[in-house]
Amino acid sequence: MRTLFILFRKELRSFFQNPFGWVIIAAVAIANGVGISTSMKGFVDSPSQHSLIFATFHSPVFWFWFLFIFPLITMRSFAEEERSGTLETLLTAPVRTWQVVLSKYGAAFAFYVILWIPTLLQFHLFSWVADLPDAWTPGEVFGTYTILILMGMAFTAVGCLASSLTSSQIIAGLLTICLLMLLFFFGFIPIIWGGAFQGAGIFYYISCQEHLAFFAKGFLDTRPFVYYITLTFMVLFLTYQIVDYRRWKR
């Protein structure tokens, strides 16, 4: 475990020692701020029964920038080290393959969680500046950030898998966004074809849009927990197999 912690700390530190990591934090804060401002303007134009958090995260604008977080934070994980040759050095060191995979995944996921800390402050700025009660309930905040963490857990694993398949950061990023867009559009299949066809329940079950909308209302459901945790373990297992194959191939 000590080796895993050392590798994890090294990987996490690399996000903050690189200006690109701070750019990602700033970009997420700006994008979320724009989303909050847009939602507040929408409330002025047409009052809604939904909370400010629901309106901010349940919009096409949110999904556009949200899905692009993951290629940015994972495309360097394995691809950059493969290109520079440092991955070969790492894999020939006295460390286990699972330690390499978990340290890179864990650091990327931890950085993803850190990205959301400024957004919590942005929502509280609404009540501080406007001198009005919070436009949401504690349950809605808890539910929203719970599902964001669950989705981030699985989507970060997908990004690490894509990065392990190539030595090009650009290809890894493109592959990540393509896989995530595929998962995203699965949720539109019942909307396009209707919910009466056989198998529609499966698409509702894996729909990240449905999950976010449900949790953002302050509700909790154990099925998304099972789905995202299972997906994370499956994808990480594939990543482990790919990296381990590269290790013994050498």
Side-chain angles (χ1 to χ4, degrees), residues 24-45:
I24 296 175
I25 293 175
V28 170
I30 292 171
N32 190 68
V34 171
I36 294 174
S37 300
T38 304
S39 299
M40 292 174 65
K41 184 179 183 303
F43 285 159
V44 173
D45 296 338

Side-chain angles (χ1 to χ4, degrees), residues 7-236:
L7 291 173
F8 167 79
R9 186 174 58 184
K10 169 184 171 292
E11 294 293 334
L12 183 59
R13 190 188 301 123
S14 67
F15 283 103
F16 297 98
Q17 292 176 339
N18 190 327
F20 189 60
W22 293 101
V23 170
I24 296 175
I25 293 175
V28 170
I30 292 171
N32 190 68
V34 171
I36 294 174
S37 300
T38 304
S39 299
M40 292 174 65
K41 184 179 183 303
F43 285 159
V44 173
D45 296 338
S46 58
S48 172
Q49 63 178 350
H50 295 300
S51 68
L52 179 61
I53 283 187
F54 181 91
T56 301
F57 291 123
H58 194 65
S59 68
V61 175
F62 164 75
W63 287 105
F64 175 79
W65 63 263
F66 174 71
L67 294 178
F68 275 93
I69 292 176
F70 302 98
L72 293 176
I73 65 177
T74 61
M75 63 185 183
R76 296 178 63 252
S77 299
F78 295 97
E80 175 60 20
E81 295 212 40
E82 175 72 16
R83 185 195 63 80
S84 62
T86 55
L87 183 62
E88 182 176 357
T89 303
L90 180 61
L91 292 178
T92 54
V95 296
R96 303 291 183 88
T97 305
W98 66 268
Q99 292 173 329
V100 175
V101 173
L102 283 186
S103 64
K104 290 184 176 294
Y105 166 76
F109 178 62
F111 180 73
Y112 166 81
V113 173
I114 293 171
L115 289 177
W116 294 104
I117 296 176
T119 66
L120 278 171
L121 299 176
Q122 288 175 317
F123 281 111
H124 284 292
L125 280 174
F126 168 80
S127 57
W128 297 339
V129 174
D131 196 23
L132 293 172
D134 292 336
W136 59 83
T137 64
E140 290 169 334
V141 175
F142 180 77
T144 299
Y145 281 87
T146 297
I147 194 63
L148 287 175
I149 289 175
L150 286 174
M151 288 193 295
M153 184 189 305
F155 293 174
T156 302
V158 171
C160 289
L161 173 63
S163 183
S164 70
L165 292 171
T166 178
S167 60
S168 170
Q169 292 187 53
I170 296 176
I171 295 176
L174 291 174
L175 182 57
T176 300
I177 197 63
C178 287
L179 291 173
L180 295 182
M181 290 296 288
L182 184 63
L183 287 174
F184 176 74
F185 280 111
F186 277 158
F188 286 108
I189 291 180
I191 298 175
I192 297 172
W193 290 352
F197 70 96
Q198 189 174 7
I202 297 176
F203 293 103
Y204 280 121
Y205 178 75
I206 65 176
S207 172
C208 50
Q209 305 97 304
E210 291 288 330
H211 298 155
L212 182 57
F214 187 78
F215 275 65
K217 294 177 181 178
F219 303 120
L220 294 179
D221 188 354
T222 57
R223 290 173 296 179
F225 282 86
V226 175
Y227 168 63
Y228 287 114
I229 292 174
T230 303
L231 180 61
T232 301
F233 276 103
M234 289 176 58
V235 175
L236 285 179

